[in-house]
């Protein structure tokens, strides 16, 4: 039974009340953590995260809380929210590889490619043997300027898993970087054949086509990319430039206005006005 609410002038009773509250703190935090875990087992990750956040408010260092919270945020595709608890957990438990994959993928999806590499360096074979993990490691090497090493890994992965469209796209990106537009187009065509609905493939393919001087074909691919992902300002920017190369100035100006609108909608004030919980990150 809880002690009675103390009179403001009774410091002894107030001290007892405060001590009683401290005694309850771990139990309350643990209850919220358990409720969150139950929600997570039911794949209700949004509600699970709400319970985990309440647990954090009571006891941020509760054992197992960072593990549960990070995993739930990752499963909800809230990658930027997953990184802090996953990082804290692995800092305290460096020998536990079970969350290195989710941390690496979260870093990759938020474009922290160095963080992705670091997360996978400490992973065991059970994680690094997964083709998806091999791809994001190789792609992160390319993104951080280690192009030769990344290319070698992508080539090896293509030899064993030619069915993965992202691998062909990754190699296409490398060939664009190296200025071999025809080899880039060949790889990106393979990616398109496996998944024609990937806007990034159309975007990179258009860059290769522009390198080869095929502006009209590049415009078609950029228009596809924009249709598939209309909120990506970089796609509209590239399309505007391609229109200019084709002397389609009115269309170029229209795309530039869209770019400005998208940039304005991504300001902190705009994000605060229209929160997008659970939205998967872009490139």
């Amino acid at each position: 039974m809880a002690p009675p609410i103390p009179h403001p002038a009774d410091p002894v009773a107030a001290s007892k009340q405060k001590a009683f509250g401290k005694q309850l703190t771990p139990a309350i935090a643990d209850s919220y953590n358990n409720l969150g875990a139950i929600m997570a087992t039911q794949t209700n990750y949004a509600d699970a995260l709400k319970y985990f956040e309440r647990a954090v408010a009571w006891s941020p260092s509760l054992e197992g809380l960072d593990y549960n919270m990070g995993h739930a945020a990752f499963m909800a595709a809230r990658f930027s929210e997953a990184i802090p608890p996953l990082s804290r957990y692995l800092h305290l438990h460096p020998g536990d590889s079970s969350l290195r994959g989710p941390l690496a993928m979260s870093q990759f999806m938020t474009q922290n490619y160095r963080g992705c590499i670091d997360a996978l360096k400490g992973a065991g074979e059970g994680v690094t043997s997964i083709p998806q993990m091999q791809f994001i490691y190789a792609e992160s090497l390319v993104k951080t300027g280690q192009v030769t090493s990344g290319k070698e890994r992508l080539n090896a992965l293509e030899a064993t898993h030619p069915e993965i469209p992202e691998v062909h796209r990754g190699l296409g990106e490398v060939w664009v970087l190296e200025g071999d537009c025809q080899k880039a187009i060949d790889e990106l065509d393979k990616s398109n054949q496996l998944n024609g609905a990937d806007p990034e493939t159309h975007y990179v393919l258009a860059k290769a086509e522009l390198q080869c001087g095929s502006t009209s074909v590049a415009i078609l691919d950029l228009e596809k990319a924009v249709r598939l992902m209309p909120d990506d300002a970089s796609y509209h920017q590239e399309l505007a430039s391609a229109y200019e190369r084709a002397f389609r100035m009115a269309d170029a100006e229209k795309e530039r206005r869209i770019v400005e609108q998208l940039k304005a909608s991504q300001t902190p004030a705009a994000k605060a006005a229209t929160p997008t919980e659970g939205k998967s990150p872009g490139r």
Side-chain angles (χ1 to χ4, degrees):
M1 179 177 178
I5 297 175
H7 187 276
D10 187 349
V12 175
S15 178
K16 289 182 179 179
Q17 185 74 17
K18 185 176 181 180
F20 182 73
K22 286 184 177 180
Q23 292 173 7
L24 287 180
T25 293
I28 294 172
D30 195 49
S31 296
Y32 281 129
N33 188 32
N34 289 334
L35 287 168
I38 292 170
M39 292 292 101
T41 60
Q42 298 172 2
T43 67
N44 186 350
Y45 300 112
D47 284 342
L49 286 167
K50 292 176 183 177
Y51 282 119
F52 293 141
E53 286 164 4
R54 292 175 185 173
V56 168
W58 282 93
S59 180
S61 59
L62 181 70
E63 181 65 28
L65 179 55
D66 279 333
Y67 182 102
N68 290 339
M69 193 171 190
H71 180 262
F74 172 76
M75 295 302 294
R78 289 160 64 168
F79 301 110
S80 59
E81 295 177 37
I83 292 170
L86 291 176
S87 298
R88 288 193 298 267
Y89 177 82
L90 287 169
H91 178 73
L92 295 174
H93 305 86
D96 187 347
S97 290
S98 62
L99 291 185
R100 287 198 173 274
L103 176 59
M105 181 61 72
S106 297
Q107 299 281 25
F108 183 82
M109 294 299 289
T110 54
Q111 300 179 44
N112 183 356
Y113 302 113
R114 172 55 58 188
C116 175
I117 292 170
D118 291 342
L120 286 174
K121 278 182 178 177
E125 187 178 349
V127 175
T128 57
S129 62
I130 300 171
Q132 188 180 38
M133 295 295 110
Q134 293 175 4
F135 166 72
I136 66 171
Y137 187 80
E139 185 80 346
S140 294
L141 289 173
V142 173
K143 296 289 188 182
T144 55
Q146 303 173 69
V147 178
T148 301
S149 181
K151 182 180 177 181
E152 289 174 355
R153 289 175 177 271
L154 286 169
N155 278 322
L157 190 55
E158 183 185 42
T160 55
H161 292 280
E163 77 283 359
I164 301 177
E166 291 82 4
V167 175
H168 299 290
R169 187 189 72 202
L171 281 169
E173 288 181 292
V174 170
W175 289 122
V176 169
L177 287 172
E178 295 184 347
D180 195 328
C181 59
Q182 190 53 57
K183 285 185 178 180
I185 290 172
D186 291 343
E187 283 295 342
L188 292 160
D189 280 342
K190 294 176 186 177
S191 179
N192 248 338
Q193 290 168 14
L194 292 165
N195 179 16
D198 177 29
E200 184 71 359
T201 297
H202 290 289
Y203 175 71
V204 180
L205 180 55
K207 285 189 168 185
E209 290 160 345
L210 287 169
Q211 279 187 352
C212 283
S214 302
T215 303
S216 59
V217 180
I219 286 173
L220 294 176
D221 273 304
L222 286 167
E223 288 173 342
K224 289 177 185 177
V226 164
R227 284 197 297 273
L228 289 166
M229 190 175 286
D231 293 336
D232 193 312
S234 64
Y235 292 171
H236 291 279
Q237 184 68 54
E238 195 72 32
L239 180 55
S241 297
Y243 280 145
E244 284 186 344
R245 290 178 65 165
F247 301 102
R248 294 170 57 176
M249 299 309 180
D251 289 329
E253 181 58 31
K254 178 183 175 182
E255 290 301 316
R256 295 200 188 283
R257 285 197 298 269
I258 294 173
V259 171
E260 292 305 315
Q261 291 169 1
L262 289 171
K263 287 181 177 179
S265 70
Q266 293 168 3
T267 62
K271 288 182 178 180
T274 56
T276 53
E277 185 174 343
K279 181 180 178 183
S280 296
R283 291 174 294 112

